[in-house]
Amino acid sequence: MASEGILLGMGNPLLDISAVVDEPFLEKYDIKLNNAILAEEKHVPMYDELAAKDNVEYIAGGATQNSIRVAQWMLQTPGATSFIGCIGKDKYGEEMTKNSKLAGLNVHYYEDETAATGTCAVCVVGGERSLIANLAAANCYKSEHLQKPENWALVEKAKYYYIAGFFLTVSPDSIQLVAEHAAKNNKVFCHNLSAPFICEFFKGVQENVLPYVDYLFGNESEARTFSKVHGWETEDVEKIALKISELPKVSGRKRIAVISQGADPVVVATDGKVTTYPVIPLPKEKLVDTNGAGDAFVGGFLSQLVLEKPIEECVKAGCYAANVIIQRSGCTYPEKPSFE
């Protein structure tokens, strides 16, 4: 069984506002499918338009929080996971806190008095999704909150950490504090490329964190963007994963790069070797939406990693969790997992 507080996540807690839309809606707001971006002025009216749709759903989200929720669900040990992030003092924030506690997470939210709880528009067309995040309060997280004794105690207690790349835009100094603690205490630090725009526009802060990363997750489009930004001149995901695994590292532990590719095999690279693992095939008619698929993969993977299972088991659990989530709306799951 997983010990209490073994896994700590830190990131942007967002309430997903999810609805099925059509192509003209995407064109109206200049949105590409299978992408994740930060909201601009032109996207502001979109949130009300989504909220007015008959099929709209509100789901506690945010990439890192999704992964931690899925890991918690897979582990089935109350309080095995903790999460830190910033919400507003409003009804969405209350809803988020309630949801997360019900899911078994030990949440230590910083409540911002001035900003609203962050939201993420999830536009679904034909099962594929596009994400537009309005960070709002999530963007207000401060490392002073992390350093308070009751919150830093979560860092001390954990042996595994997961922070997605999205948090690089919010509080790189908080990430650095956790990364340095992990390296100094021989703990495991996991990170995610998260989105092409992170690799392109936050390259500097990303490069500061990478030397501390033991497990780096990403998908094929993020990996290819990372390669382009670093001038590697290859689109071959296996080669890119290998190059990522060989980037300079602070601790002696070899980095493992894990790149998912939708329905194609998962690529795992470490120590000069690449291994691919098939995903669980799913007929198109069973696909509900891909929102949270990557987050769920990471959550499933982490659930076995903290139990010190071999990589093959971790990938298998990741594929299982992703397979469950894409057959449901948003990053949701049944009461109990049936993973073996």
Side-chain angles (χ1 to χ4, degrees), residues 135-301:
L135 296 182
N139 204 28
C140 302
Y141 191 78
K142 305 279 184 292
S143 58
E144 290 80 28
H145 177 262
L146 177 65
Q147 292 175 81
K148 284 185 175 171
E150 66 272 26
N151 301 322
W152 190 254
L154 298 180
V155 179
E156 296 275 2
K157 194 173 210 179
K159 296 192 174 85
Y160 295 82
Y161 307 93
Y162 176 62
I163 304 174
F166 292 121
F167 206 54
L168 288 169
T169 76
V170 173
S171 187
D173 53 334
S174 297
I175 301 178
Q176 205 65 26
L177 285 168
V178 174
E180 286 171 7
H181 170 86
K184 202 162 75 186
N185 294 278
N186 198 27
K187 295 176 176 184
V188 179
F189 185 77
C190 310
H191 189 57
N192 202 313
L193 295 175
S194 289
F197 85 86
I198 299 285
C199 304
E200 283 184 275
F201 305 116
F202 293 88
K203 183 176 177 235
V205 281
Q206 190 181 57
E207 282 178 346
N208 293 342
V209 171
L210 282 174
Y212 296 91
V213 177
D214 297 303
Y215 288 82
L216 186 72
F217 298 94
N219 67 25
E220 73 279 36
S221 64
E222 293 151 11
R224 288 184 178 124
T225 303
F226 189 91
S227 170
K228 189 172 125 193
V229 167
H230 287 80
W232 288 350
E233 294 182 353
T234 179
E235 293 228 323
D236 182 316
V237 172
E238 293 188 20
K239 283 184 183 157
I240 297 166
L242 203 52
K243 277 177 157 309
I244 288 172
S245 72
E246 290 165 347
L247 288 169
K249 197 156 180 314
V250 169
S251 71
R253 197 188 283 121
K254 301 241 182 264
R255 181 182 298 110
I256 298 177
V258 184
I259 309 295
S260 59
Q261 310 185 85
D264 293 327
V266 176
V267 174
V268 177
T270 187
D271 202 14
K273 292 193 269 311
V274 175
T275 315
T276 59
Y277 299 91
V279 303
I280 306 163
L282 184 76
K284 183 82 174 144
E285 64 274 11
K286 284 196 167 178
L287 174 70
V288 175
D289 78 55
T290 55
N291 179 29
D295 303 337
F297 174 83
V298 173
F301 188 103

Side-chain angles (χ1 to χ4, degrees), residues 29-140:
Y29 291 109
D30 192 20
I31 301 165
K32 292 188 188 76
L33 273 181
N34 294 316
N35 199 11
I37 59 170
L38 293 176
E40 296 171 39
E41 202 59 46
K42 65 184 176 190
H43 298 119
V44 172
M46 179 187 63
Y47 292 88
D48 284 340
E49 199 174 327
L50 275 180
K53 291 197 174 288
D54 293 342
N55 61 17
V56 69
E57 289 182 274
Y58 295 90
I59 303 156
T64 301
Q65 188 166 243
N66 280 344
S67 296
I68 299 298
R69 277 173 50 232
V70 170
Q72 178 62 50
W73 170 68
M74 291 284 286
L75 288 165
Q76 292 286 306
T77 310
T81 63
S82 306
F83 180 79
I84 290 174
C86 185
I87 59 174
K89 273 200 154 168
D90 51 24
K91 69 174 197 308
Y92 282 173
E94 284 170 21
E95 187 68 26
M96 188 99 72
T97 306
K98 191 178 82 183
N99 270 347
S100 301
K101 286 182 175 169
L102 277 173
L105 270 65
N106 176 16
V107 291
H108 281 216
Y109 291 132
Y110 166 53
E111 289 189 349
D112 189 272
E113 303 274 350
T114 55
T117 295
T119 50
C120 182
V122 182
C123 304
V124 181
V125 177
E128 304 292 333
R129 60 85 179 133
S130 189
L131 308 175
I132 306 93
N134 176 22
L135 296 182
N139 204 28
C140 302

Side-chain angles (χ1 to χ4, degrees), residues 70 73-76 280 304 316-317 320-321 323-324 327 333-340:
V70 170
W73 170 68
M74 291 284 286
L75 288 165
Q76 292 286 306
I280 306 163
Q304 302 308 294
K316 209 179 270 185
Y320 163 78
N323 183 265
V324 168
Q327 295 182 66
Y333 36 75
E335 194 187 340
K336 291 244 160 63
S338 58
F339 176 72
E340 306 204 340

